[in-house]
Amino acid sequence: MKIKILTLFILLFTLSISAQGHKEKRDKIKALKVSFLTTELKLTADESAKFWPIYNTSDQKQFEIRHGKIKAVLRSIDKADIDKISEKEALAYLEQIEDAEEELLNLRKKLIADLKPVIGPVRVLKLKKAEDDFNRKLLSQYKDRRKN
């Protein structure tokens, strides 16, 4: 449940970033994430050379699903008056969201399977923790900026 809530916050955070400068902000966040994960996982140069292509491919596919499929469904829901859609339409929206979430889950499973031989199961767990820690810090900084 925490993962879904955190994912929702990250999605909302990402959607709230204005289109102008979006790529620069995303690149900056990605660079900070790479540095954070490399440090937390204590990746050697050899491990980094194997780890990052796998991780980046998965991360890009996840981004495409979140910002392509899920965002498209959310835009459709925003355009429709949610109180006036039929049960059939609501079920169709839910099915699209469930399908996208299932794709995300399958990507995560593939990432884990692909990374276990590269960094081992213990550090795959550390990766999950490090990603969560990074996302919490990012969200906290975002909240702090909004207060000021």
Side-chain angles (χ1 to χ4, degrees):
M1 185 65 177
K2 287 182 181 180
I3 294 170
K4 285 187 178 183
I5 292 171
L6 187 57
T7 302
L8 179 61
F9 276 118
I10 292 169
L11 178 64
L12 292 174
F13 169 75
T14 305
L15 293 176
S16 69
I17 294 175
S18 66
Q20 187 178 31
H22 176 73
K23 178 154 176 40
E24 293 83 16
K25 289 178 184 179
R26 180 163 155 64
D27 289 345
K28 183 179 178 183
I29 290 169
K30 186 173 182 169
L32 291 170
K33 186 176 183 181
V34 166
S35 175
F36 185 82
L37 294 179
T38 300
T39 302
E40 291 296 307
L41 296 175
K42 297 178 175 79
L43 295 174
T44 65
D46 184 49
E47 290 169 334
S48 287
K50 295 174 186 172
F51 173 87
W52 287 111
I54 296 167
Y55 186 86
N56 289 337
T57 299
S58 178
D59 192 53
Q60 181 60 36
K61 288 178 183 176
Q62 288 179 46
F63 180 82
E64 290 167 5
I65 292 168
R66 284 189 189 106
H67 296 281
K69 295 179 179 184
I70 294 175
K71 190 175 180 181
V73 173
L74 295 176
R75 275 193 303 255
S76 296
I77 293 169
D78 283 344
K79 288 179 183 175
D81 184 351
I82 200 160
D83 293 323
K84 293 183 181 178
I85 64 172
S86 69
E87 292 293 316
K88 185 178 179 180
E89 290 171 312
L91 286 172
Y93 286 133
L94 287 173
E95 187 175 309
Q96 290 173 26
I97 292 169
E98 288 172 348
D99 289 347
E101 287 178 352
E102 187 173 344
E103 277 186 72
L104 289 171
L105 176 62
N106 290 335
L107 272 174
R108 192 67 187 179
K109 286 179 178 181
K110 182 178 180 344
L111 176 66
I112 290 168
D114 291 347
L115 288 179
K116 279 193 283 188
V118 175
I119 60 173
V122 171
R123 285 200 286 170
V124 171
L125 284 174
K126 285 183 181 181
L127 170 64
K128 176 62 182 141
K129 183 183 180 319
E131 286 175 322
D132 290 347
D133 290 347
F134 179 82
N135 290 335
R136 269 193 291 286
K137 287 180 182 184
L138 185 65
L139 186 58
S140 176
Q141 288 178 1
Y142 177 73
K143 285 180 182 178
D144 289 346
R145 285 186 184 167
R146 299 229 7 155
K147 288 179 185 177
N148 297 329

